[in-house]
Amino acid sequence: MQPDEAAKKPGHEFGENTRLVHDARHDRGAISPPIYQSSLFSFTDYDSMIARFRGDSDHALYSRVDNPTVVELQHKVAELEGGEACLAFGSGMAAISNAILSVVGPGEKVVCVNHVYPDTYRFLRGFCTRFHIETQFVDGSSLDALDVAMQGARLLYLESPSSWVMSEQNLHAVASLAKKHGVVTMIDNSWASPIFQKPLEAGIDLVIHSASKYISGHSDVVAGLVIASRERIAAITRHISPFLGGKLSANEAWLLLRGLRTLPLRMRQHHTSALALAGLLQGYSHITQVNHPGLHPSPDSSLRGYSGLFSFELREGIDIPTFCNALQLFRMGVSWGGFESLVMPAISVLNQAGEFNSAIDFGVSPRLIRISVGLEDTADLWRDLQNAIESACF
Ligand SMILES: *Cc1c(COP(=O)(O)O)cnc(C)c1O
């Protein structure tokens, strides 16, 4: 089947869950889409080949550009985010770097909010600076600071809620401020997933996901997505992505299509469990601070729900290595968004070797613990946290 047929989907009279469960119709009535494990796609006749090169046909050509399994994923995600087009990549960082480079060039300025994902920070501070793209980092919760910083800028890069401290930006207000300055806006929406936040509706220009997190949901894929207008996606596919070559594989696209079917269901469970644990931690004497956007919801928030990732600070006197080692269900590890619960103490990245350490530069507390709440029973997770905290008190 052709990618354009794959794009045909039930109309919007259906709800999001229905649309995510129902894929396009496939050959032989297959319920699950085929994995097109083919590097190239041949033509039956000369004219159809010429038509493809002229741009008059969407016949698949080559898997660096338009693998049909990947194209089906792109259609589904574009619709879910409410965008015209989507482009999939082999990682979230490929999505981020391609998207940024499609907007800014040498001599142009980026404004970026504090507490962005560490490799986004390194990309802007290190790589981009080498190509004479300068970035100013600002407190994303201050509209005044953003207003001043955006003068003469080309791109505003957002991440809401942000890494480590989960601080939100007012997307509607920031988007209209950026329009006033003629600045393009881009957001990393991995935390909320398209289920809980649709930034294009708030006026943001480009949305990025590390699909390695909730969209995959099973901790078995590394992938990235960019969703925007056809024109903005074309700026990437014409000038950036074919040359950087960070394409997604058909197998991984298929796993993401599978992940999407249960995304709303999983997000609802992450929402409920993490909010319950955040509330319990907030009332717990050993905890000095809980960073979860649902505890003190802002009236300006564009979040429709909360994911499973949040952080808290352990009071002095609780030994962090003992706490981490005492956890039985929360495993120590980077990443998040999967079925399994994970723990990551900020001290591990504060001590990380290498240039441009965002945790140090943005002043993340060494007492901070980030957890990714998985799909286990919430009561078991609470008992695990409580036991580990009690056993680490001295
Ligand atoms: C993990 C992550 C990324 C990077 O995604 P990869 O798929 O690992 O390249 C970007 N942004 C955020 C917020 C992330 O958590």
Side-chain angles (χ1 to χ4, degrees):
M1 114 178 296
Q2 293 303 307
D4 58 338
E5 286 173 64
K8 284 183 194 145
K9 57 233 160 204
H12 273 279
E13 71 270 23
F14 294 115
E16 199 160 85
N17 294 287
T18 310
R19 283 183 279 129
L20 280 173
V21 167
H22 282 267
D23 286 334
R25 294 202 179 274
H26 299 286
D27 283 352
R28 295 162 208 260
I31 284 292
S32 180
I35 302 172
Y36 285 94
Q37 191 67 49
S38 185
S39 61
L40 74 130
F41 299 87
S42 60
F43 296 90
T44 50
D45 57 86
Y46 180 83
D47 285 347
S48 62
M49 181 170 72
I50 294 303
R52 173 62 179 83
F53 280 96
R54 221 191 287 120
D56 293 342
S57 139
D58 54 10
H59 188 294
L61 181 72
Y62 186 52
S63 283
R64 171 153 51 78
V65 179
D66 59 356
N67 178 283
T69 312
V70 176
V71 169
E72 181 161 345
L73 169 73
Q74 290 173 168
H75 283 304
K76 208 157 186 177
V77 172
E79 196 206 358
L80 184 60
E81 272 289 4
E84 286 176 353
C86 168
L87 193 60
F89 293 90
S91 71
M93 279 314 301
I96 290 167
S97 52
N98 275 264
I100 290 175
L101 294 174
S102 76
V103 176
V104 282
E108 292 182 322
K109 176 184 168 183
V110 178
V111 176
C112 179
V113 297
N114 292 344
H115 293 289
V116 276
Y117 181 70
D119 276 340
T120 305
Y121 182 71
R122 286 186 199 105
F123 175 69
L124 290 168
R125 291 286 312 273
F127 185 99
C128 286
T129 307
R130 282 174 46 209
F131 293 91
H132 307 288
I133 297 164
E134 297 297 331
T135 302
Q136 183 181 351
F137 292 88
V138 294
D139 174 1
S141 67
S142 166
L143 288 175
D144 290 340
L146 287 166
D147 196 16
V148 173
M150 273 196 277
Q151 279 163 29
R154 173 88 184 104
L155 170 69
L156 173 65
Y157 188 94
L158 308 165
E159 187 182 311
S160 184
S162 67
S163 290
W164 288 110
V165 294
M166 321 297 146
S167 57
E168 275 187 81
Q169 294 112 55
N170 179 343
L171 301 191
H172 279 97
V174 169
S176 55
L177 202 55
K179 286 210 168 66
K180 186 189 85 181
H181 286 283
V183 167
V184 178
T185 46
M186 194 179 287
I187 187 171
D188 184 328
N189 196 30
S190 309
W191 188 94
S193 91
I195 304 303
F196 288 153
Q197 185 165 259
K198 299 196 194 290
L200 298 174
E201 287 176 3
I204 303 294
D205 296 315
L206 297 104
V207 175
I208 294 164
H209 287 281
S210 167
S212 324
K213 313 294 163 56
Y214 288 116
I215 291 176
S216 148
H218 292 75
S219 303
D220 50 11
V221 174
V222 173
L225 299 157
V226 180
I227 306 95
S229 66
R230 265 184 218 99
E231 196 186 338
R232 293 201 185 281
I233 294 297
I236 306 175
T237 56
R238 286 201 197 110
H239 306 299
I240 312 287
S241 59
F243 318 120
L244 298 188
K247 61 101 184 156
L248 183 65
S249 77
N251 274 282
E252 289 184 307
W254 186 89
L255 285 168
L256 294 179
L257 282 164
R258 183 167 72 168
L260 281 173
R261 297 190 190 107
T262 56
L263 181 63
L265 198 63
R266 287 185 285 107
M267 293 312 290
R268 284 198 285 277
Q269 189 57 50
H270 289 300
H271 168 104
T272 306
S273 299
L275 202 50
L277 291 179
L280 288 164
L281 284 163
Q282 198 178 32
Y284 198 38
S285 56
H286 301 296
I287 306 299
T288 54
Q289 162 133 2
V290 182
N291 303 308
H292 185 299
L295 289 180
H296 309 285
S298 142
D300 303 322
S301 176
S302 41
L303 292 172
R304 299 169 188 189
Y306 308 104
S307 72
L309 188 77
F310 69 98
S311 63
F312 56 86
E313 290 181 26
L314 288 172
R315 70 162 170 79
E316 294 291 337
I318 296 178
D319 186 56
I320 290 176
T322 309
F323 163 75
C324 290
N325 286 328
L327 288 165
Q328 302 205 317
L329 295 175
F330 286 86
R331 307 248 203 117
M332 276 173 263
V334 296
S335 195
W336 44 270
F339 53 86
E340 78 290 11
S341 289
L342 293 167
V343 62
M344 191 71 192
I347 192 74
S348 58
V349 294
L350 288 165
N351 290 329
Q352 194 175 20
E355 275 186 312
F356 306 126
N357 190 318
S358 58
I360 294 174
D361 294 352
F362 296 133
V364 172
S365 164
R367 305 299 305 164
L368 187 129
I369 308 288
R370 187 189 74 183
I371 59 171
S372 175
V373 178
L375 302 175
E376 302 93 336
D377 288 300
T378 316
D380 293 337
L381 294 177
W382 175 236
R383 219 171 301 118
D384 197 30
L385 285 172
Q386 248 182 328
N387 285 341
I389 292 169
E390 301 291 345
S391 65
C393 291
F394 60 88

